[in-house]
Amino acid sequence: MAARAIDEAALWERLSQSRRVPLEPDWLGEAYSPGLSSSLCSAISEQLGMLGPRGWPVIEALIRRHGNRPDLVHAAGLCHQAPARDWLLSQLREKDSDAECPDLPLLEALSCWGAELTLTELERILEAAPQATRLAGLELLRFKAHQLNAHTLLQLCAPALADWRDPVTIAAIRLLQRRDEPCISDALAGLCRTGSDAAAAAALKALGCMATPRSQELLGTLVVELSRPQRRDLAMRQLQQQFRNR
């Protein structure tokens, strides 16, 4: 145990000097071992991922040797290489489609490659119950949204918009507010009426950011309809802000 502690201390020291003395991928590959602490494995894997095209061959070799450990999966995503993307996608698609929940480390590693996923894959991820999985699905969808029409995007976001957990609902609102189609404005206005206080506030601010004729019309309606003073006042501020910015 003492020897291992000394070895880990030396590795941490070497990692801390990486800015002054760059680390070679082969050295990192040799230093990596599942027997190290999880934090040290993660640090080594992260360094490999940051080496991009030089790091991926070593990451791939480590995966073959030690399996799909979460820190190595994360490194595969971090290196942003096309072969790593293809490997991650193959791993996601080889998982049993009847599994209760997609593999979270894979989803997080794939985050910037959301455009590569099919609508069926995204739908399955966004319908999964765990909060972390839905948030990862929304991050994937952020990179796919430009390929989708407003109605399809709304359909995919529906489970998140109906989620009782504010972080999930608010993440979906922030994704949708980048689009200015009337149907999206209508959906956000619905949340202003029926959502939690946090979700309603996020939806009102999203309508304010849109600054379209439909969002202005809806804000004017909400100023009259909303019974809770806090929501009504926020709707008024968002509406006034739009007119001041004209």
Side-chain angles (χ1 to χ4, degrees), residues 2 33 100 157 184 201:
S33 168
E100 181 179 347
C157 285
I184 289 181

Side-chain angles (χ1 to χ4, degrees), residues 68-168:
N68 297 5
R69 291 170 55 85
D71 54 279
L72 295 175
V73 171
H74 173 68
L78 193 61
C79 75
H80 293 104
Q81 299 302 299
R85 174 204 62 201
D86 295 342
W87 178 79
L88 289 166
L89 285 170
S90 72
Q91 294 303 301
L92 182 68
R93 289 163 182 168
E94 286 172 9
K95 296 290 183 181
D96 185 358
S97 61
D98 295 328
E100 181 179 347
C101 185
D103 188 80
L104 183 60
L106 276 173
L107 299 184
E108 292 175 338
L110 278 165
S111 61
C112 67
W113 289 306
E116 304 294 331
L117 271 66
T118 67
L119 294 183
T120 300
E121 289 167 341
L122 284 167
E123 184 176 30
R124 177 169 172 261
I125 294 165
L126 289 162
E127 287 179 348
Q131 175 174 308
T133 303
R134 286 194 174 177
L135 289 172
L138 289 167
E139 182 65 13
L140 289 163
L141 183 56
R142 187 166 69 89
F143 290 91
K144 183 79 169 182
H146 68 281
Q147 300 177 357
L148 308 176
N149 63 47
H151 291 286
T152 301
L153 185 59
L154 266 178
Q155 184 178 3
L156 287 168
C157 285
L161 292 175
D163 201 300
W164 57 273
R165 296 161 296 199
D166 286 335
V168 176

Side-chain angles (χ1 to χ4, degrees), residues 50-70:
M50 292 170 63
L51 290 174
R54 297 174 61 224
W56 167 241
V58 177
I59 296 167
E60 186 179 27
L62 289 173
I63 290 170
R64 285 198 301 267
R65 189 180 312 153
H66 303 298
N68 297 5
R69 291 170 55 85

Side-chain angles (χ1 to χ4, degrees), residues 180-183 185-186 207 211-219 221:
D180 58 7
E181 290 91 338
C183 65
S185 297
D186 291 345
L207 288 171
T212 63
R214 182 57 178 164
S215 68
Q216 292 173 0
E217 177 188 351
L218 288 166
L219 284 169
T221 301

